[in-house]
Amino acid sequence: MEQQFPFLPRHLAIIMDGNGRWAQARGLKRVDGHRAGADNVRVIVTECRRLGIPYLTLYAFSSENWKRPPAEVAALFSLLLDFLGTEVARMEREGIRLMVLGDVEGLPLAQRTALKHAMKRTAQGRDMTLNLALNYGGREEIVRAARRMAEAGLPPEQYTEARFADFLYTQGQPDPDLLVRTSGELRLSNYLLYQCAYSEFYFTPVAWPDFGVDALHEALRAYAGRSRRFGQTQEQVNGC
Ligand code: IPE
Ligand code: IPE
Ligand code: MG
């Protein structure tokens, strides 16, 4: 691990926000911002893998984003196909396992097919798990987990936190240690509501297309300076 990070998050979750405003501030179209944002995904995935962060989750399309103009939704899905087209081979080569958090069946056919192909091809990746939250809503995830648990026929005494987590999209993964949101908004927007119970939050005014390696390092340094107590006193955490 690099000297500047005494410890890194095992799981980093990012709300990639601000593509539209980034573009508008430059007299460009919102879709140009999304394209710049997609390019930045490549940069951040590469750097997280290089640093050795084992789980990275990127909020790419929320269940509420369907309310956007159809042309913008279409552009986002087209960029997703482009991304998969160029990145799957690289992910496979670099040991990156791709997973989707969200309702894949509710995505357009071409994207659904490409994602399933990509997940299959990268399933053996051991160096990093890249979760794309797509057609994802935190409340939907929780309700779905409850429904799936009931369908599994578990008796009420087995409704524990640990079992419940097995029915979430993030099954088997650690909770996010650090949640980053770019572009200045101070809200969760229905992201990982269950999993972020004890995550550290980091908000930055930097728009997603500008959130490069240096900005990532700054967030990671801020995280390394946090004192996570999980309900205990600082003395207990220090072991004295
Ligand atoms: C984030 O950027 C990308 C998605 C939500 C898909 P936005 O498109 O939300 O950018 P702003 O918030 O309008 O600037
Ligand atoms: C959250 O951003 C969703 C993604 C980044 C994909 P939004 O831009 O959609 O969030 P709100 O609507 O401003 O809360
Ligand atoms: Mg936004």
Side-chain angles (χ1 to χ4, degrees):
M1 198 187 299
E2 292 190 4
Q3 206 78 49
Q4 58 174 326
F5 307 116
F7 52 91
L8 284 165
R10 275 182 79 202
H11 187 167
L12 168 64
I14 305 182
I15 303 177
M16 310 185 287
D17 198 13
N19 294 347
R21 279 165 286 167
W22 180 91
Q24 278 156 352
R26 284 160 181 75
L28 302 169
K29 301 212 169 64
R30 290 182 60 86
V31 53
D32 298 317
H34 294 314
R35 195 169 301 113
D39 289 342
N40 196 44
V41 169
R42 295 171 168 92
V43 171
I44 295 300
V45 169
T46 303
E47 181 61 7
C48 286
R49 182 188 173 287
R50 192 187 72 78
L51 288 169
I53 294 173
Y55 295 89
L56 173 65
T57 301
L58 302 176
Y59 207 178
F61 192 85
S62 76
S63 40
E64 288 74 30
N65 287 146
W66 292 108
K67 296 178 200 156
R68 294 192 178 200
E72 183 170 340
V73 172
L76 284 166
F77 284 131
S78 161
L79 284 167
L80 173 64
L81 276 191
D82 292 350
F83 178 83
L84 295 172
T86 60
E87 299 308 298
V88 171
R90 192 173 71 108
M91 287 193 273
E92 190 181 12
R93 217 171 38 242
E94 296 185 352
I96 300 175
R97 174 176 69 144
L98 180 77
M99 307 222 18
V100 174
L101 313 184
D103 179 15
V104 186
E105 300 307 321
L107 293 171
L109 180 63
Q111 283 71 12
R112 205 189 318 154
T113 310
L115 283 165
K116 285 182 182 171
H117 169 75
M119 286 190 279
K120 208 164 156 191
R121 226 174 122 181
T122 61
Q124 300 309 315
R126 290 288 170 269
D127 288 352
M128 180 168 95
T129 295
L130 170 62
N131 296 313
L132 290 182
L134 275 167
N135 197 14
Y136 174 86
R139 286 188 172 176
E140 185 274 335
E141 178 183 36
I142 292 169
V143 172
R144 171 181 174 274
R147 192 185 318 118
R148 293 178 70 224
M149 215 166 162
E151 282 166 3
L154 292 182
E157 62 271 17
Q158 285 186 31
Y159 276 56
T160 60
E161 289 183 19
R163 281 316 294 276
F164 192 74
D166 286 340
F167 292 91
L168 296 169
Y169 291 121
T170 47
Q171 187 224 337
Q173 303 188 16
D175 287 339
D177 299 294
L178 175 63
L179 175 98
V180 170
R181 182 167 191 153
T182 59
S183 204
E185 307 301 345
L186 307 180
R187 54 178 173 261
L188 274 179
S189 301
N190 207 10
Y191 194 42
L192 302 172
L193 298 181
Y194 192 84
Q195 296 88 339
C196 283
Y198 255 109
S199 305
E200 295 294 325
F201 286 8
Y202 179 87
F203 296 101
T204 170
V206 176
W208 173 250
D210 287 335
F211 187 83
V213 168
D214 289 346
L216 173 70
H217 288 186
E218 203 177 317
L220 294 172
R221 274 194 300 272
Y223 169 74
R226 301 279 175 94
S227 172
R228 304 186 77 191
R229 291 189 288 278
F230 299 99
Q232 293 187 302
T233 67
Q234 190 61 53
E235 288 69 28
Q236 286 175 301
V237 173
N238 295 344
C240 52

